[in-house]
Amino acid sequence: MCGIIGYTGGRQAASIILEGLTSLEYRGYDSAGIAVMDKAGKPQLFKAAGKLSNLKQVLSNGLPDGSTGIGHTRWATHGGPTEDNAHPHSDCSKDVIVVHNGIVENYQELKQELTEKGHVFSSQTDAECVPHLIESYLQDDYSLEDAVLATANRIRGANAIVVISKREPDKIISFKLGNAGGIVVGYGKDEMLLASDLPALLPHTRDVVYLAGGEMVVVTKNHVSYTDLEGNELKKSTLHMPYDALTAAKGEYKHFMLKEIHEQPEAIIDALRGRVSFDDYTVDLEHFPFSDEELKQIRRVVIVGMGTSQHAAMVGRLWMESLAGIATEADNSSEFRYRDPVIDKDTLVVSISQSGETADTLSAMDEAKSKGARQITLCNYEGTQTTRVADGTILIRAGLEVGVASSKTFVCSLVALYLLAMYIGSRRGHLSKERREEMIKELAHLPQMMGTLLTKENEAVYESLAREYSSRRDFLFLGRGINYPLAMEGALKLKEISYIHAEGYPAGEMKHGPISLIDEEMPVVALIPKDDLYEKMLSNINEVKARGGTVIAVATEGDEGVLDKADHAIYIPKSSSNVTPILMSIPMQLLSYHIAVRRGCDVDQPRNLAKSVTVE
């Protein structure tokens, strides 16, 4: 979640950029930098490791002159939080200057290609390959815009990139790939601005355009043009945003929940930053409190949580057993505290609470502490109660979530649990280097895969299903194996925000009772990815259809055959079975959201619910 801002106009760019970075510092604070085109049209770069205050100190003797520039506040993915790794980055000739948010999935391939052509890199970031790639096209006599466009078509992954160049010092070019990272274009009077989030623009303008994935924008102080990545011109209409904090936070979305669902690709990048190395394929969890010897002594893991956090715990249980090789159970925090659990110093208790203040989870942690168990907590905020009780904390880094029904906090909890299982499995020698490398390579693609689920075309699928099924009184969600908890989560989401009765079951349990409920009025959501349990899920779908039920299948992309059995299909990208539950989360959320909207429910503040349950 890096912060980006750009300005071109008649005012001093540096002061506007620093002001904008201040409002965006929540998006990243391990380094910062600005680049301003001086009066001679040459870029002046200033960077500092650490918080934005360090950059301001670098500039304390005076801001650079110039009316076009870009700025960046960083949260590291590739390369540590150093001055060399801070953005902006430039090419060999200091001609092209770039700031970037996202993951360039194929950066190693691009870096090798560019190095062989003589390009010299000065950082460990994936972002630096972008200015060098633009430079290589400029050397082939491309125009600046064509060079940026060609670069956009070479890069893989979910990314937002902003470019300036001394070749055209009054111009800013930006493009967006996928759905990770925002770019908002602000229209001023004889000036234009770009930023990764609306609050950085509102002091200067309320007329904005949101850049979509697969689009490029070119701005000067008096002109703006949009194209797709094939160079075709696009017409985009401005939105006039009221100047209030609520609108600034909600942006272009009707509800906070929808905004937060769409933020999930970027939230995943944040959850991976600094923890996963895409160079040597390792996982490193900051400030992890236990030594290798202590980890080897662990004989059992217990993961506790409430509601959505418990569903994450259920997925985490399977990851911990398969990746770390430790017997694991998942439990409801409120039940755990009352059952006199058999735990000791060789037990690791992992608690999940997005707020860090959940009363039942805190009580479960107190019970674990009284029996001498080691503890790790996953939460979204530093300094909360759970972080004070546990031996160590893994921040899920979802950012602010306003919607009461959890969306991105669930996904970030899953990512954190996945990394924890990989980390412990690696340190205990259970997870092989080869398998870990394969898993980390897939994680680099995960934000982009999530982004493919958030297109307008996919939204139309959910709107159509909502029109057809929003009047139903009951739903059944079925899943097997690692996707059973997602069936539980799908049912919970639908109950929470649409007030429709819904149940989530392991599909193998259906014939032990739930099958008696199935008739033509009962929609059944069947989670049926192409995995080892695919044939068994097909059998369950057949059993539903034989009793007149309607089936909405959530299947793997390319599985057209599932429509021979199901009435509707929602598709997720092909992935390993380990990553499937993370991808499954978006269909569960969007189906519930669109049904709730269709029913006229208060999506962000559903009745009788609170964001944090701080009493028993």
Side-chain angles (χ1 to χ4, degrees):
M1 191 190 286
C2 300
I4 290 173
I5 185 166
Y7 172 84
T8 184
R11 294 189 281 165
Q12 184 186 53
S15 60
I16 294 169
I17 291 167
L18 284 175
E19 175 191 359
L21 290 180
T22 300
S23 70
L24 296 172
E25 190 172 15
Y26 71 94
R27 297 178 65 91
Y29 36 80
D30 64 25
S31 61
I34 68 170
V36 174
M37 292 296 180
D38 65 19
K39 292 180 178 179
K42 295 181 179 180
Q44 303 296 315
L45 271 70
F46 302 87
K47 303 182 185 184
K51 294 191 174 183
L52 184 60
S53 57
N54 294 348
L55 177 63
K56 291 179 178 178
Q57 181 62 37
V58 169
L59 295 166
S60 60
N61 291 329
L63 299 180
D65 287 330
S67 56
T68 298
I70 55 178
H72 188 273
T73 181
R74 180 177 187 248
W75 204 350
T77 49
H78 298 72
T82 66
E83 184 175 325
D84 285 341
N85 290 331
H87 298 216
H89 288 291
S90 64
D91 61 344
C92 297
S93 62
K94 302 297 187 289
D95 182 339
V96 178
I97 313 295
V98 165
V99 292
H100 163 245
N101 183 20
I103 295 177
V104 180
E105 295 175 7
N106 57 331
Y107 90 98
Q108 288 180 316
E109 168 193 326
L110 294 172
K111 185 174 182 178
Q112 181 177 347
E113 172 190 319
L114 291 162
T115 301
E116 290 172 355
K117 290 181 177 180
H119 292 260
V120 178
F121 287 75
S122 58
S123 78
Q124 291 78 49
T125 68
D126 57 334
E128 195 185 353
C129 72
V130 179
H132 287 285
L133 190 56
I134 295 171
E135 179 186 30
S136 71
Y137 286 114
L138 291 173
Q139 290 169 344
D140 290 336
D141 293 328
Y142 282 59
S143 68
L144 178 61
E145 290 177 31
D146 287 344
V148 174
L149 193 61
T151 296
N153 282 286
R154 288 291 308 280
I155 291 172
R156 294 202 302 269
N159 296 276
I161 291 170
V162 179
V163 181
I164 57 175
S165 171
K166 65 184 182 183
R167 294 193 176 207
E168 299 185 59
D170 298 325
K171 180 178 288 186
I172 303 177
I173 304 175
S174 178
F175 63 87
K176 182 177 175 183
L177 306 174
N179 284 283
I183 291 292
V184 192
V185 182
Y187 290 65
K189 182 175 175 56
D190 296 323
E191 61 185 12
M192 295 291 295
L193 301 97
L194 298 93
S196 50
D197 214 347
L198 190 60
L201 301 182
L202 286 183
H204 310 285
T205 180
R206 286 185 279 165
D207 296 318
V208 302
V209 165
Y210 285 84
L211 205 64
E215 293 181 352
M216 186 172 90
V217 61
V218 180
V219 302
T220 61
K221 67 178 183 179
N222 292 313
H223 180 73
V224 58
S225 63
Y226 299 92
T227 65
D228 61 22
L229 296 188
E230 294 179 352
N232 299 310
E233 186 179 353
L234 300 174
K235 299 293 185 183
K236 296 179 75 73
S237 301
T238 59
L239 301 172
H240 186 74
M241 311 301 290
Y243 188 58
D244 65 83
L246 186 67
T247 300
K250 196 182 298 182
E252 63 182 322
Y253 297 98
K254 185 176 181 181
H255 298 97
F256 278 107
M257 183 179 180
L258 185 61
K259 176 179 185 282
E260 289 152 6
I261 290 171
H262 278 259
E263 287 175 339
Q264 288 176 125
E266 187 173 7
I268 287 174
I269 294 174
D270 297 338
L272 298 176
R273 289 184 193 277
R275 294 169 173 170
V276 175
S277 170
F278 298 104
D279 295 312
D280 59 7
Y281 304 110
T282 56
V283 177
D284 184 23
L285 297 179
E286 65 274 19
H287 311 305
F288 195 79
F290 306 126
S291 66
D292 287 349
E293 185 59 34
E294 288 173 312
L295 284 177
K296 288 176 182 176
Q297 292 171 2
I298 291 173
R299 297 290 175 264
R300 183 159 159 261
V301 175
V302 180
I303 311 176
V304 296
M306 298 291 290
T308 287
S309 292
Q310 187 192 1
H311 299 155
M314 293 166 69
V315 178
R317 171 197 174 188
L318 299 177
W319 283 331
M320 192 66 71
E321 290 187 337
S322 65
L323 303 180
I326 308 175
T328 304
E329 63 180 272
D331 206 345
N332 181 295
S333 298
S334 63
E335 295 300 315
F336 178 83
R337 63 179 292 202
Y338 289 117
R339 66 176 177 83
D340 192 21
V342 180
I343 55 177
D344 57 23
K345 62 182 177 57
D346 295 330
T347 304
L348 173 64
V349 173
V350 180
S351 56
I352 310 170
S353 169
Q354 70 85 21
S355 67
E357 306 289 342
T358 305
D360 287 300
T361 300
L362 283 163
S363 295
M365 294 175 72
D366 287 339
E367 177 72 13
K369 187 174 184 178
S370 71
K371 296 191 173 187
R374 296 182 171 94
Q375 294 200 58
I376 294 290
T377 193
L378 276 62
C379 75
N380 203 26
Y381 303 101
E382 293 186 76
T384 54
Q385 289 193 64
T386 59
T387 68
R388 294 195 290 270
V389 175
D391 300 298
T393 299
I394 300 174
L395 294 174
I396 66 172
R397 298 178 177 172
L400 177 66
E401 186 176 71
V402 176
V404 168
S406 298
S407 55
K408 62 178 180 175
T409 51
F410 174 64
V411 163
C412 288
S413 295
L414 289 178
V415 172
L417 285 167
Y418 194 39
L419 295 181
L420 178 63
M422 291 171 64
Y423 181 74
I424 292 176
S426 296
R427 288 186 58 181
R428 284 171 57 97
H430 183 80
L431 182 64
S432 70
K433 180 180 178 181
E434 293 73 22
R435 190 179 179 199
R436 187 180 67 233
E437 178 176 336
E438 182 181 321
M439 294 164 67
I440 289 176
K441 284 180 178 178
E442 184 176 43
L443 281 176
H445 300 295
L446 184 58
Q448 174 69 4
M449 289 194 285
M450 294 286 279
T452 65
L453 296 168
L454 295 167
T455 63
K456 291 181 180 179
E457 292 79 10
N458 276 336
E459 293 273 355
V461 172
Y462 296 103
E463 290 170 355
S464 175
L465 290 169
R467 284 193 296 271
E468 188 165 352
Y469 295 108
S470 60
S471 62
R472 300 299 175 91
R473 295 171 58 88
D474 307 279
F475 269 72
L476 181 64
F477 289 74
L478 298 175
R480 281 183 179 265
I482 201 166
N483 294 300
Y484 156 50
L486 271 295
M488 298 279 288
E489 177 64 12
L492 175 61
K493 281 292 159 287
L494 192 63
K495 283 184 280 195
E496 283 180 314
I497 63 174
S498 76
Y499 316 141
I500 294 174
H501 170 250
E503 299 294 339
Y505 271 91
E509 181 78 4
M510 188 174 65
K511 287 187 287 189
H512 296 265
I515 199 168
S516 66
L517 297 172
I518 294 172
D519 59 20
E520 63 277 2
E521 292 299 315
M522 169 76 85
V524 176
V525 180
L527 280 57
I528 181 170
K530 274 289 185 77
D531 59 16
D532 293 343
L533 296 170
Y534 179 79
E535 297 297 333
K536 294 187 180 297
M537 279 299 303
L538 275 182
S539 296
N540 293 129
I541 288 176
N542 285 332
E543 290 164 353
V544 171
K545 294 301 295 179
R547 287 153 181 85
T550 301
V551 175
I552 302 169
V554 186
T556 301
E557 187 178 32
D559 183 12
E560 301 297 334
V562 76
L563 284 171
D564 294 337
K565 309 290 185 182
D567 298 274
H568 310 276
I570 299 168
Y571 290 105
I572 63 169
K574 294 178 182 178
S575 72
S576 70
S577 59
N578 275 328
V579 165
T580 298
I582 302 175
L583 297 172
M584 281 285 181
S585 63
I586 288 183
M588 299 303 97
Q589 296 161 4
L590 285 177
L591 183 63
S592 301
Y593 170 80
H594 284 286
I595 287 175
V597 170
R598 189 78 182 176
R599 288 167 66 89
C601 300
D602 188 342
V603 172
D604 287 332
Q605 295 180 312
R607 67 190 183 202
N608 305 331
L609 295 177
K611 189 65 181 169
S612 176
V613 182
T614 56
V615 294
E616 185 177 356

